[in-house]
Amino acid sequence: MSIKKATNTFAQENIETYVKTALIFLIVVICFLIFKPFLVPVIWGMIIAIAFYPLHLRLSKLLKGKTGLSATIITLVLLALLLIPAGTFVDHLFENVKELSGHLKAGDLAVNEPPENVAGWPLVGKSIYNSWHQFAVDVREAAEQFKPQIEALGHKVLNFFKSFMGSILVFMLSIIISGLFLANATSGYPFIYKLFNRLVGEEKGTEIVDNSRKTVSSVVTGILGTAVIQTAIISAAFFVFKIPLAALLTLVTFFFAVAQIPVFLIIIPLIIYMFSAVGGAPAVLFTIWGVVGALSDNVLKPMLLGRGLNIPMLVILIGAIGGMLLMGMIGLFIGAVVLALGYQILQLWLDGVKEQLEATDVKNAED
């Protein structure tokens, strides 16, 4: 009887444990589904807040401890830095589209004849020359002939514009969320420290949190900082030498620089264009300027990436690139942080094994 009663009690305890676990799991899933629409903006908000936290501390001291005012100022400045260039770009885009549409309707759109040496370009020169020549002879007839390609390009441009506007809205929300994080950083950081101290121990938990914060800052300064400086150098050449579509090429250059794609893929065709369309000293100067800009990341990245970290720069770089390939732009930071955490956990495990081996050696020596 006692055995049967014990068995029933054990079964009831197991069922109760399973029910509690299922309920907790259900609550976690529902919480995640509720939070999911805000997941990307919140992660971006955390990244921005971590990146600007040192500035927030200095500004708070200047404002005599007014953390809310400091967070508000940083948020407004970041919103201005986001919205002013974006608004200018959209305004120029609409003006260009409106102008092009007006010329097409009036039938007075003129295209200059291509230079003869365009036909001599490797691989694509002849086809580019023939298409260009068709548009120079009769724009309407050429547009009718290339109508499917033009429509496909139009759809791609429209999709790009939709994606661009969506990204602007997400970043606006992310900047506002980062301001809230900065304003409440005093209570937020202790929570993160308590969580990691609970998971891996007090000493190591604090170290992991500090390294994670430094990793995000390192990626911001190392990858994004390098991309901004490199793009500024190359973009200046676009505008100085009046390269067509300079603003669009600047955006493409920045994307390539962030994605760690060689910007020589942009510079080389433009060098060919400069020598074929302009030639002389301007083409030579543009070539030197472009090559210097394209190679500048080799100097900037080692200077900015991985500063103040006891994690190898290669780990941060692989994590950032791999994360971006897996999750897009946000993966730059998530990938770098996750791989850095994995590296630290591996180091903790290896240190534990080393301590065990040393203790075993001491014990054997005593025996």
Side-chain angles (χ1 to χ4, degrees):
M1 185 69 179
S2 60
I3 295 176
K4 185 176 180 181
K5 186 177 180 180
T7 303
N8 290 336
T9 303
F10 180 73
Q12 288 175 356
E13 289 176 353
N14 280 342
I15 293 172
E16 186 177 347
T17 301
Y18 294 146
V19 170
K20 289 179 179 179
T21 305
L23 285 174
I24 293 171
F25 178 76
L26 182 63
I27 292 171
V28 170
V29 170
I30 293 174
C31 288
F32 175 76
L33 293 176
I34 293 171
F35 183 69
K36 187 178 178 181
F38 303 96
L39 183 62
V40 172
V42 167
I43 292 175
W44 272 118
M46 292 174 62
I47 291 167
I48 296 169
I50 292 172
F52 285 92
Y53 184 66
L55 175 62
H56 172 65
L57 289 178
R58 288 195 291 269
L59 187 57
S60 297
K61 289 180 180 178
L62 291 175
L63 296 172
K64 299 179 180 179
K66 296 179 180 178
T67 56
L69 180 59
S70 171
T72 302
I73 292 172
I74 292 173
T75 301
L76 292 176
V77 170
L78 290 177
L79 285 173
L81 291 174
L82 172 69
L83 294 177
I84 292 173
T88 304
F89 171 74
V90 172
D91 183 59
H92 281 302
L93 182 63
F94 273 118
E95 286 296 325
N96 291 336
V97 170
K98 185 179 178 181
E99 184 180 352
L100 179 62
S101 177
H103 283 303
L104 286 173
K105 287 179 180 178
D108 59 354
L109 182 66
V111 178
N112 296 327
E113 283 283 351
E116 292 295 333
N117 53 7
V118 172
W121 291 359
L123 301 176
V124 296
K126 197 169 183 181
S127 60
I128 291 176
Y129 181 86
N130 291 334
S131 301
W132 192 341
H133 175 70
Q134 283 181 276
F135 277 96
V137 173
D138 191 333
V139 173
R140 288 190 172 182
E141 184 179 341
E144 190 64 31
Q145 182 179 345
F146 291 95
K147 187 176 180 180
Q149 292 88 337
I150 294 173
E151 287 180 349
L153 178 62
H155 285 301
K156 289 180 180 178
V157 171
L158 183 61
N159 290 333
F160 166 78
F161 183 72
K162 289 179 180 178
S163 175
F164 176 76
M165 294 305 297
S167 299
I168 293 297
L169 292 174
V170 169
F171 272 103
M172 283 178 59
L173 181 58
S174 300
I175 289 171
I176 294 170
I177 292 172
S178 73
L180 297 175
F181 279 135
L182 288 173
N184 296 279
T186 306
S187 59
Y189 265 109
F191 171 77
I192 300 296
Y193 280 117
K194 286 178 183 178
L195 177 63
F196 276 87
N197 289 342
R198 181 71 176 173
L199 290 173
V200 295
E202 186 171 346
E203 182 180 345
K204 295 299 180 182
T206 301
E207 182 182 348
I208 286 176
V209 172
D210 289 338
N211 278 333
S212 299
R213 176 176 56 80
K214 290 176 182 177
T215 299
V216 174
S217 299
S218 176
V219 173
V220 170
T221 56
I223 293 181
L224 288 187
T226 299
V228 168
I229 296 172
Q230 186 178 33
T231 302
I233 295 171
I234 297 173
S235 176
F238 294 161
F239 286 98
V240 168
F241 293 95
K242 298 180 180 179
I243 301 294
L245 303 174
L248 182 59
L249 287 171
T250 298
L251 286 177
V252 176
T253 302
F254 179 71
F255 174 78
F256 274 39
V258 171
Q260 307 301 299
I261 301 172
V263 294
F264 272 114
L265 296 175
I266 300 170
I267 296 298
I268 290 174
L270 293 176
I271 290 173
I272 296 172
Y273 162 78
M274 285 294 293
F275 273 101
S276 61
V278 181
V284 175
L285 288 173
F286 176 81
T287 300
I288 296 171
W289 196 330
V291 170
V292 169
L295 294 175
S296 62
D297 63 328
N298 295 316
V299 178
L300 294 169
K301 204 174 293 175
M303 292 171 57
L304 300 175
L305 191 62
R307 291 189 307 171
L309 283 171
N310 55 0
I311 299 170
M313 186 184 73
L314 185 61
V315 173
I316 305 296
L317 188 60
I318 291 174
I321 296 173
M324 195 197 68
L325 293 175
L326 183 64
M327 293 176 280
M329 188 72 72
I330 200 169
L332 272 172
F333 305 93
I334 295 177
V337 171
V338 170
L339 201 63
L341 287 175
Y343 176 82
Q344 291 176 85
I345 291 170
L346 177 63
Q347 288 292 108
L348 287 174
W349 178 69
L350 292 175
D351 290 343
V353 171
K354 184 180 178 182
E355 289 175 2
Q356 289 179 357
L357 290 174
E358 289 175 351
T360 303
D361 291 339
V362 170
K363 186 177 180 182
N364 291 336
E366 289 175 354
D367 293 339

